[in-house]
Tab-separated table of all heavy atoms in Angstrom:
chain	number	residue	atom	x	y	z
A	737	ILE	N	45.923	-179.761	24.909
A	737	ILE	CA	46.642	-178.671	25.554
A	737	ILE	C	45.891	-177.356	25.423
A	737	ILE	O	46.107	-176.423	26.201
A	737	ILE	CB	48.082	-178.536	24.998
A	737	ILE	CG1	48.954	-177.636	25.886
A	737	ILE	CG2	48.080	-178.048	23.555
A	737	ILE	CD1	49.159	-178.147	27.292
A	738	LEU	N	44.982	-177.256	24.471
A	738	LEU	CA	44.163	-176.062	24.290
A	738	LEU	C	42.790	-176.317	24.882
A	738	LEU	O	41.993	-177.086	24.332
A	738	LEU	CB	44.047	-175.710	22.804
A	738	LEU	CG	45.328	-175.169	22.159
A	738	LEU	CD1	45.238	-175.222	20.646
A	738	LEU	CD2	45.617	-173.750	22.646
A	751	HIS	N	40.663	-169.825	24.479
A	751	HIS	CA	41.321	-171.023	25.002
A	751	HIS	C	42.345	-170.634	26.079
A	751	HIS	O	42.935	-169.559	26.021
A	751	HIS	CB	42.073	-171.772	23.898
A	751	HIS	CG	41.211	-172.340	22.822
A	751	HIS	ND1	40.646	-171.561	21.831
A	751	HIS	CD2	40.807	-173.622	22.569
A	751	HIS	CE1	39.948	-172.339	21.009
A	751	HIS	NE2	40.034	-173.581	21.436
A	753	LEU	N	45.944	-172.276	27.923
A	753	LEU	CA	47.024	-173.228	27.668
A	753	LEU	C	47.915	-173.256	28.892
A	753	LEU	O	48.458	-172.222	29.290
A	753	LEU	CB	47.805	-172.806	26.420
A	753	LEU	CG	48.857	-173.766	25.868
A	753	LEU	CD1	49.157	-173.440	24.405
A	753	LEU	CD2	50.148	-173.731	26.667
A	794	ALA	N	53.424	-181.299	25.315
A	794	ALA	CA	52.521	-180.179	25.039
A	794	ALA	C	52.794	-179.509	23.686
A	794	ALA	O	51.842	-179.198	22.960
A	794	ALA	CB	52.601	-179.160	26.172
A	795	PRO	N	54.042	-179.263	23.302
A	795	PRO	CA	54.269	-178.613	22.004
A	795	PRO	C	53.742	-179.441	20.834
A	795	PRO	O	53.149	-178.890	19.893
A	795	PRO	CB	55.795	-178.456	21.955
A	795	PRO	CG	56.222	-178.429	23.396
A	795	PRO	CD	55.302	-179.396	24.068
A	796	GLU	N	53.959	-180.733	20.877
A	796	GLU	CA	53.482	-181.590	19.793
A	796	GLU	C	51.954	-181.607	19.724
A	796	GLU	O	51.368	-181.589	18.630
A	796	GLU	CB	54.019	-183.010	19.980
A	796	GLU	CG	55.521	-183.156	19.814
A	796	GLU	CD	56.335	-182.687	21.010
A	796	GLU	OE1	55.745	-182.465	22.097
A	796	GLU	OE2	57.561	-182.546	20.872
A	797	ILE	N	51.302	-181.603	20.883
A	797	ILE	CA	49.838	-181.608	20.909
A	797	ILE	C	49.294	-180.271	20.421
A	797	ILE	O	48.275	-180.223	19.718
A	797	ILE	CB	49.326	-181.937	22.326
A	797	ILE	CG1	49.767	-183.346	22.738
A	797	ILE	CG2	47.806	-181.824	22.396
A	797	ILE	CD1	49.255	-184.457	21.838
A	798	TYR	N	49.958	-179.175	20.770
A	798	TYR	CA	49.539	-177.868	20.233
A	798	TYR	C	49.608	-177.885	18.713
A	798	TYR	O	48.654	-177.464	18.028
A	798	TYR	CB	50.422	-176.747	20.785
A	798	TYR	CG	50.087	-175.401	20.166
A	798	TYR	CD1	49.065	-174.607	20.690
A	798	TYR	CD2	50.759	-174.937	19.026
A	798	TYR	CE1	48.733	-173.383	20.098
A	798	TYR	CE2	50.425	-173.728	18.434
A	798	TYR	CZ	49.416	-172.957	18.973
A	798	TYR	OH	49.069	-171.767	18.386
A	799	LEU	N	50.708	-178.344	18.169
A	799	LEU	CA	50.886	-178.368	16.721
A	799	LEU	C	49.822	-179.235	16.056
A	799	LEU	O	49.297	-178.894	14.984
A	799	LEU	CB	52.277	-178.893	16.375
A	799	LEU	CG	52.661	-178.914	14.896
A	799	LEU	CD1	52.616	-177.516	14.303
A	799	LEU	CD2	54.038	-179.532	14.718
A	800	LYS	N	49.465	-180.333	16.710
A	800	LYS	CA	48.487	-181.272	16.146
A	800	LYS	C	47.074	-180.712	16.165
A	800	LYS	O	46.259	-181.047	15.285
A	800	LYS	CB	48.548	-182.582	16.943
A	800	LYS	CG	47.625	-183.676	16.460
A	800	LYS	CD	47.800	-184.931	17.294
A	800	LYS	CE	46.858	-186.035	16.857
A	800	LYS	NZ	47.027	-187.269	17.696
A	801	THR	N	46.750	-179.872	17.143
A	801	THR	CA	45.354	-179.463	17.356
A	801	THR	C	45.053	-177.991	17.098
A	801	THR	O	43.885	-177.606	17.049
A	801	THR	CB	44.932	-179.789	18.802
A	801	THR	OG1	45.773	-179.059	19.725
A	801	THR	CG2	45.043	-181.280	19.078
A	802	CYS	N	46.076	-177.145	16.932
A	802	CYS	CA	45.819	-175.703	16.903
A	802	CYS	C	44.962	-175.279	15.713
A	802	CYS	O	44.093	-174.401	15.853
A	802	CYS	CB	47.123	-174.918	16.946
A	802	CYS	SG	48.206	-175.136	15.513
A	803	GLU	N	45.163	-175.868	14.554
A	803	GLU	CA	44.396	-175.441	13.386
A	803	GLU	C	42.922	-175.800	13.531
A	803	GLU	O	42.043	-175.002	13.169
A	803	GLU	CB	44.994	-176.047	12.120
A	803	GLU	CG	46.365	-175.465	11.772
A	803	GLU	CD	46.926	-176.028	10.483
A	803	GLU	OE1	46.271	-176.904	9.866
A	803	GLU	OE2	48.030	-175.598	10.086
A	804	ALA	N	42.630	-176.978	14.070
A	804	ALA	CA	41.230	-177.378	14.278
A	804	ALA	C	40.564	-176.473	15.303
A	804	ALA	O	39.397	-176.064	15.135
A	804	ALA	CB	41.153	-178.833	14.721
A	805	GLU	N	41.282	-176.124	16.375
A	805	GLU	CA	40.708	-175.242	17.388
A	805	GLU	C	40.516	-173.830	16.840
A	805	GLU	O	39.547	-173.146	17.181
A	805	GLU	CB	41.597	-175.221	18.633
A	805	GLU	CG	41.583	-176.521	19.424
A	805	GLU	CD	40.181	-176.902	19.883
A	805	GLU	OE1	39.487	-176.047	20.459
A	805	GLU	OE2	39.791	-178.065	19.665
A	806	GLN	N	41.424	-173.408	15.987
A	806	GLN	CA	41.269	-172.094	15.366
A	806	GLN	C	40.028	-172.060	14.474
A	806	GLN	O	39.249	-171.098	14.495
A	806	GLN	CB	42.517	-171.753	14.558
A	806	GLN	CG	42.515	-170.337	13.996
A	806	GLN	CD	43.829	-169.997	13.330
A	806	GLN	OE1	44.354	-170.785	12.535
A	806	GLN	NE2	44.379	-168.844	13.648
A	807	ARG	N	39.820	-173.123	13.684
A	807	ARG	CA	38.629	-173.186	12.831
A	807	ARG	C	37.362	-173.195	13.677
A	807	ARG	O	36.369	-172.537	13.348
A	807	ARG	CB	38.677	-174.424	11.932
A	807	ARG	CG	39.719	-174.352	10.829
A	807	ARG	CD	39.495	-175.437	9.795
A	807	ARG	NE	39.618	-176.773	10.371
A	807	ARG	CZ	40.756	-177.465	10.431
A	807	ARG	NH1	41.877	-176.928	9.955
A	807	ARG	NH2	40.791	-178.675	10.959
A	808	TRP	N	37.400	-173.935	14.786
A	808	TRP	CA	36.223	-174.028	15.669
A	808	TRP	C	35.812	-172.651	16.177
A	808	TRP	O	34.636	-172.292	16.142
A	808	TRP	CB	36.532	-174.951	16.847
A	808	TRP	CG	35.472	-174.979	17.894
A	808	TRP	CD1	34.302	-175.704	17.866
A	808	TRP	CD2	35.446	-174.235	19.121
A	808	TRP	NE1	33.563	-175.466	18.997
A	808	TRP	CE2	34.233	-174.567	19.788
A	808	TRP	CE3	36.319	-173.342	19.731
A	808	TRP	CZ2	33.889	-174.021	21.033
A	808	TRP	CZ3	35.984	-172.799	20.960
A	808	TRP	CH2	34.780	-173.141	21.599
A	809	VAL	N	36.769	-171.865	16.637
A	809	VAL	CA	36.425	-170.565	17.202
A	809	VAL	C	36.099	-169.551	16.109
A	809	VAL	O	35.238	-168.682	16.280
A	809	VAL	CB	37.545	-170.062	18.145
A	809	VAL	CG1	38.779	-169.629	17.388
A	809	VAL	CG2	37.044	-168.931	19.033
A	810	HIS	N	36.733	-169.672	14.942
A	810	HIS	CA	36.424	-168.764	13.845
A	810	HIS	C	34.997	-168.968	13.342
A	810	HIS	O	34.341	-167.996	12.919
A	810	HIS	CB	37.419	-168.965	12.700
A	810	HIS	CG	38.744	-168.320	12.942
A	810	HIS	ND1	39.815	-168.443	12.063
A	810	HIS	CD2	39.195	-167.534	13.968
A	810	HIS	CE1	40.849	-167.771	12.537
A	810	HIS	NE2	40.503	-167.222	13.689
A	816	PHE	N	40.890	-166.550	17.611
A	816	PHE	CA	41.582	-167.635	18.306
A	816	PHE	C	42.535	-166.981	19.304
A	816	PHE	O	43.627	-166.541	18.956
A	816	PHE	CB	42.313	-168.497	17.292
A	816	PHE	CG	43.074	-169.662	17.869
A	816	PHE	CD1	42.606	-170.370	18.963
A	816	PHE	CD2	44.266	-170.061	17.279
A	816	PHE	CE1	43.320	-171.449	19.475
A	816	PHE	CE2	44.990	-171.135	17.775
A	816	PHE	CZ	44.514	-171.834	18.875
A	818	VAL	N	44.518	-167.125	22.969
A	818	VAL	CA	45.075	-168.095	23.916
A	818	VAL	C	45.636	-167.381	25.146
A	818	VAL	O	46.455	-166.462	25.023
A	818	VAL	CB	46.181	-168.938	23.250
A	818	VAL	CG1	46.824	-169.887	24.266
A	818	VAL	CG2	45.608	-169.725	22.074
A	840	LEU	N	56.867	-174.417	23.035
A	840	LEU	CA	55.553	-173.957	22.581
A	840	LEU	C	55.661	-172.626	21.847
A	840	LEU	O	55.053	-172.436	20.786
A	840	LEU	CB	54.610	-173.832	23.777
A	840	LEU	CG	53.979	-175.132	24.273
A	840	LEU	CD1	53.461	-174.973	25.698
A	840	LEU	CD2	52.833	-175.550	23.352
A	843	ILE	N	57.002	-173.113	18.333
A	843	ILE	CA	55.986	-173.612	17.404
A	843	ILE	C	54.980	-172.524	17.055
A	843	ILE	O	54.531	-172.407	15.902
A	843	ILE	CB	55.287	-174.853	17.999
A	843	ILE	CG1	56.239	-176.044	17.968
A	843	ILE	CG2	53.998	-175.185	17.249
A	843	ILE	CD1	55.731	-177.282	18.658
A	844	MET	N	54.645	-171.681	18.024
A	844	MET	CA	53.692	-170.607	17.762
A	844	MET	C	54.223	-169.580	16.765
A	844	MET	O	53.438	-168.876	16.117
A	844	MET	CB	53.323	-169.903	19.071
A	844	MET	CG	52.372	-170.695	19.944
A	844	MET	SD	51.949	-169.773	21.444
A	844	MET	CE	50.773	-170.913	22.201
A	846	THR	N	55.393	-170.197	13.949
A	846	THR	CA	54.906	-170.618	12.635
A	846	THR	C	53.422	-170.981	12.648
A	846	THR	O	52.811	-171.070	11.590
A	846	THR	CB	55.714	-171.823	12.111
A	846	THR	OG1	55.689	-172.883	13.083
A	846	THR	CG2	57.167	-171.425	11.849
A	847	HIS	N	52.861	-171.172	13.830
A	847	HIS	CA	51.439	-171.486	13.963
A	847	HIS	C	50.835	-170.605	15.063
A	847	HIS	O	50.408	-171.106	16.102
A	847	HIS	CB	51.240	-172.970	14.301
A	847	HIS	CG	51.672	-173.893	13.205
A	847	HIS	ND1	52.997	-174.212	12.977
A	847	HIS	CD2	50.945	-174.568	12.259
A	847	HIS	CE1	53.068	-175.044	11.952
A	847	HIS	NE2	51.853	-175.272	11.502
A	848	PRO	N	50.828	-169.289	14.844
A	848	PRO	CA	50.395	-168.382	15.916
A	848	PRO	C	48.877	-168.353	16.078
A	848	PRO	O	48.136	-168.547	15.105
A	848	PRO	CB	50.907	-167.022	15.446
A	848	PRO	CG	50.871	-167.119	13.954
A	848	PRO	CD	51.245	-168.546	13.641
A	849	PRO	N	48.396	-168.099	17.290
A	849	PRO	CA	46.979	-167.764	17.459
A	849	PRO	C	46.742	-166.350	16.941
A	849	PRO	O	47.686	-165.640	16.566
A	849	PRO	CB	46.780	-167.854	18.975
A	849	PRO	CG	48.123	-167.499	19.536
A	849	PRO	CD	49.134	-168.023	18.558
A	850	ASP	N	45.481	-165.932	16.918
A	850	ASP	CA	45.188	-164.545	16.544
A	850	ASP	C	45.595	-163.590	17.660
A	850	ASP	O	46.073	-162.483	17.407
A	850	ASP	CB	43.689	-164.373	16.263
A	850	ASP	CG	43.204	-165.291	15.157
A	850	ASP	OD1	43.935	-165.470	14.163
A	850	ASP	OD2	42.098	-165.852	15.295
Side-chain angles (χ1 to χ4, degrees):
I737 194 62
L738 289 164
H751 295 76
L753 188 160
E796 293 78 13
I797 297 300
Y798 176 85
L799 183 60
K800 182 178 178 181
T801 61
C802 65
E803 291 182 358
E805 290 302 310
Q806 186 174 47
R807 289 193 298 270
W808 173 81
V809 72
H810 282 176
F816 180 36
V818 176
L840 280 161
I843 288 174
M844 285 182 177
T846 55
H847 294 79
D850 302 320

